Each structure stands twice: as structure tokens, then as C-alpha cells.
């Protein structure tokens, strides 16, 4: 009789643990809302009808995986490349709302490196970002600092 009670207690305990695990999995992995469509407020198409300038515009990305595009479905779907030109399968509300639409002489280059830190970004700026003619207008997008925190967290004091 004692072994049957013990066996029953073990089965009930395992069932309770399994139930908790199923509820946790459903709550945190299946029930979390996943967004769709463009993020943020709607962008007015009116601002993308006429060119903003005919000047040469150099658009440069510097930073970590966010700018490099880690996790993007394809190269066209990276945040940097979406700013340059919308991918073919873009949401209808966002078609032609990109820099290449309004900047006909746009030159783009993404110098971002996944996993890089702010020190490495400084090296990229010093070594790979060439001086431009004064007639060239420049736009730089940069993400930095996240990996500085992640890589050294708890291993060394902040610098």
C-alpha cells in the first residue's frame, strides 16, 4: 500500500510539473502577440512624391547587428536596406516610401559589423569611412553601445 501511495504521489507531482510547464510555454511562447505590418505611425506618402534634392547623397550605416541586419529574412529586409529601398514584398502602405525614391543620386554603404563594440565602430570610422568632397551631403545611421554592455556585463567595471 505504501509503494502505491508513493507511486501515485510521484505521478501527481510529475503531472503538476508538466501542467505548469505547458501553461508557461503557452503563455510565453504561443500567446505572445507577434506584430505585423509597418511599425510605428503611418508615414505620409505626400513627403515622398517629389525629390528632396538632386545633390549626391552618401548614406552610411555604422554599428552593430541592428544596422548590419542580423535576423533579417534577406539582405533586402535589413533595417538599413529598407531605408534605402523597400523590398519587393513590402507592405502596401510602405511602397515607395524610402530614401531612393526622394534622393535620385543616393549612394549607400553599410559598414556595420554584427557583434561589434563602440571601440570597433571608431576604428571603422577612422579606417573605412573615406573623406568626401564638400559637395557630397552625408547621412549616417549608427547603432552602438549594446554590445559594450553585453560583452563585459559582470566581468569588469564600466569604463
Amino acid at each position: 500500500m505504501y509503494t502505491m501511495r508513493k507511486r501515485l504521489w510521484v505521478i501527481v507531482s510529475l503531472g503538476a510539473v508538466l501542467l505548469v510547464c505547458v501553461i508557461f510555454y503557452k503563455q510565453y511562447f504561443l500567446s505572445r502577440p507577434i506584430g505585423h505590418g509597418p511599425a510605428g505611425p503611418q508615414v505620409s506618402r505626400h513627403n515622398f512624391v517629389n525629390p528632396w534634392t538632386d545633390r549626391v547623397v552618401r548614406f552610411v550605416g555604422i554599428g552593430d547587428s541592428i544596422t548590419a541586419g542580423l535576423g533579417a529574412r534577406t539582405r533586402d529586409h535589413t533595417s538599413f536596406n529598407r531605408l534605402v529601398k523597400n523590398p519587393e514584398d513590402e507592405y502596401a502602405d510602405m511602397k515607395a516610401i524610402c530614401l531612393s525614391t526622394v534622393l535620385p543620386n543616393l549612394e549607400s554603404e553599410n559598414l556595420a559589423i554584427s557583434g561589434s563594440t563602440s571601440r570597433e565602430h571608431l576604428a571603422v570610422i577612422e579606417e573605412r569611412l573615406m573623406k568626401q568632397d564638400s559637395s557630397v551631403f552625408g547621412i549616417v545611421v549608427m547603432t552602438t553601445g549594446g554590445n559594450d554592455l553585453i560583452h563585459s556585463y559582470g566581468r569588469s567595471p564600466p569604463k
Side-chain angles (χ1 to χ4, degrees):
M1 189 66 135
Y2 176 73
T3 56
M4 258 175 96
R5 256 194 224 158
K6 188 175 178 182
R7 202 177 284 162
L8 182 62
W9 191 87
V10 168
I11 290 172
V12 169
S13 297
L14 287 174
V17 168
L18 182 64
L19 181 64
V20 168
C21 290
V22 167
I23 291 170
F24 176 82
Y25 180 79
K26 185 176 184 303
Q27 179 66 30
Y28 291 99
F29 293 102
L30 299 179
S31 299
R32 289 177 40 202
I34 306 280
H36 57 46
Q42 189 169 4
V43 178
S44 172
R45 188 168 298 286
H46 173 72
N47 296 326
F48 291 83
V49 173
N50 299 314
W52 294 348
T53 183
D54 288 327
R55 290 174 64 182
V56 172
V57 176
R58 183 149 164 76
F59 182 54
V60 178
I62 299 171
D64 52 26
S65 58
I66 294 170
T67 304
L70 181 69
R73 187 174 27 192
T74 68
R75 209 75 192 124
D76 291 342
H77 289 86
T78 67
S79 59
F80 181 82
N81 288 341
R82 278 180 181 274
L83 291 171
V84 175
K85 184 177 186 295
N86 303 116
E88 293 299 318
D89 62 344
E90 185 62 273
Y91 300 101
D93 293 351
M94 293 300 292
K95 288 274 187 199
I97 297 180
C98 57
L99 293 177
S100 63
T101 303
V102 290
L103 301 171
N105 296 310
L106 181 69
E107 299 172 357
S108 64
E109 183 177 20
N110 193 350
L111 302 174
I113 303 165
S114 288
S116 58
T117 62
S118 55
R119 278 207 174 112
E120 291 165 301
H121 302 159
L122 181 59
V124 166
I125 291 169
E126 292 172 341
E127 298 166 12
R128 295 182 56 199
L129 190 60
M130 299 300 137
K131 233 180 178 157
Q132 301 294 310
D133 186 76
S134 61
S135 65
V136 175
F137 183 79
I139 301 173
V140 177
V141 246
M142 184 173 192
T143 55
T144 189
N147 290 324
D148 296 294
L149 296 173
I150 294 168
H151 291 188
S152 299
Y153 186 76
R155 287 187 234 147
S156 64
K159 297 177 187 173

